[in-house]
């Protein structure tokens, strides 16, 4: 496994500052390096600030993560705008995205050649634990969605039955005809 990024090894205050500036995207790499050196002179003198190429690599990684977060947020907004979400479809979408991410991580772990076997086993074990939690969550979500759907159907049938009874009464329909429409047409037994 490769070395940790020089930015990852910095104190949290410096790392957060760099991440914030990268996320803003207002400075060029040279301007950002100069800004970091001015802002944290003690680290600059000690020589533990990252190089331009390290900042660029870290920025690319951060941008990928931010893009994924933006895409997930946008997807959640679209789902929220399009769906009443009584069935909690957003949770289903999030669970699906997490499952896909865990799957990709497991694939990356299997392809990693220079990883310590004990570390790999530990990471795979952790992934399995989280997958089980997600699966359990997915099962509960599906159960909840089915219950919401059944309740909505019962409410709709009750509403249709009441409306049918009003119409039948207004039209002078016999109880026998009304029972036919309620039982055979609506399926209420």
């Amino acid at each position: 496994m490769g070395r940790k990024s020089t930015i990852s090894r910095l104190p949290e205050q410096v790392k957060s500052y760099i991440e914030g500036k990268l996320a803003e995207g207002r400075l060029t790499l040279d301007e950002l390096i100069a800004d970091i050196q001015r802002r944290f002179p003690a680290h600059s003198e000690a020589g533990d600030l990252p190089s331009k190429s390290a900042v660029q690599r870290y920025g690319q990684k951060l941008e990928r993560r931010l893009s994924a977060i933006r895409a997930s947020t946008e997807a959640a907004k679209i789902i929220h705008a399009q769906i009443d979400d009584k069935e909690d479809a957003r949770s289903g979408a999030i669970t699906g995205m997490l499952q896909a991410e865990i799957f990709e991580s497991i694939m990356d772990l299997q392809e990693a050649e220079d990883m310590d076997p004990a570390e790999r086993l530990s990471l795979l074990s952790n992934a399995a634990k989280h997958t089980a939690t997600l699966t359990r969550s997915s099962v509960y979500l599906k159960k909840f969605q089915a219950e919401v759907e059944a309740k909505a159907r019962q409410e709709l049938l009750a509403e249709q039955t009441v409306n049918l009874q009003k119409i039948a009464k207004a039209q002078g329909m016999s109880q026998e005809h009304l029972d036919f429409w309620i039982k055979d047409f609506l399926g209420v037994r």
Side-chain angles (χ1 to χ4, degrees):
M1 195 157 164
R3 281 185 5 193
K4 264 185 147 181
S5 161
T6 53
I7 294 175
S8 299
R9 291 181 275 162
L10 289 170
E12 192 56 39
Q13 174 190 8
V14 180
K15 180 181 168 191
S16 294
Y17 182 79
I18 293 171
E19 287 175 345
K21 289 296 183 183
L22 285 168
E24 285 175 8
R26 295 183 191 165
L27 303 175
T28 66
L29 280 174
D30 291 327
E31 291 170 337
L32 179 56
I33 295 293
D35 182 56
I36 295 167
Q37 290 170 343
R38 277 192 308 275
R39 178 113 174 149
F40 303 101
H43 293 285
S44 182
E45 291 169 10
D48 58 354
L49 288 180
S51 67
K52 183 177 173 180
S53 60
V55 171
Q56 182 178 17
R57 283 189 306 272
Y58 193 83
Q60 289 170 340
K61 242 166 86 174
L62 181 64
E63 182 54 37
R64 281 193 302 273
R65 279 192 248 136
L66 290 173
S67 291
I69 291 168
R70 282 187 214 108
S72 298
T73 302
E74 191 58 33
K77 285 179 185 177
I78 290 169
I79 290 170
H80 180 69
Q82 299 299 316
I83 298 175
D84 182 346
D85 210 22
K86 287 180 186 171
E87 295 178 358
D88 201 14
R90 286 181 298 235
S91 292
I94 290 169
T95 300
M97 289 172 9
L98 288 171
Q99 287 170 332
E101 192 68 32
I102 288 174
F103 179 77
E104 283 183 45
S105 297
I106 290 170
M107 296 302 293
D108 290 343
L109 276 172
Q110 288 178 340
E111 293 171 3
E113 296 174 9
D114 59 343
M115 182 180 279
D116 175 48
E119 183 181 0
R120 180 182 297 183
L121 181 61
S122 173
L123 290 171
L124 286 171
S125 173
N126 199 15
K129 176 183 154 199
H130 292 299
T131 301
T133 301
L134 271 175
T135 302
R136 211 172 19 261
S137 169
S138 180
V139 167
Y140 287 133
L141 177 63
K142 285 182 174 105
K143 181 180 176 188
F144 171 75
Q145 289 171 331
E147 289 170 0
V148 168
E149 191 176 311
K151 183 180 176 190
R153 175 145 174 74
Q154 289 301 322
E155 288 172 1
L156 179 63
L157 285 173
E159 185 180 309
Q160 288 175 336
T161 301
V162 168
N163 288 339
L164 189 55
Q165 287 171 341
K166 285 179 188 175
I167 292 169
K169 186 176 182 180
Q171 297 292 321
M173 190 182 291
S174 71
Q175 186 62 43
E176 185 181 324
H177 281 116
L178 178 60
D179 289 343
F180 163 79
W181 284 105
I182 291 173
K183 289 179 185 169
D184 294 335
F185 185 71
L186 293 180
V188 177
R189 303 277 174 208

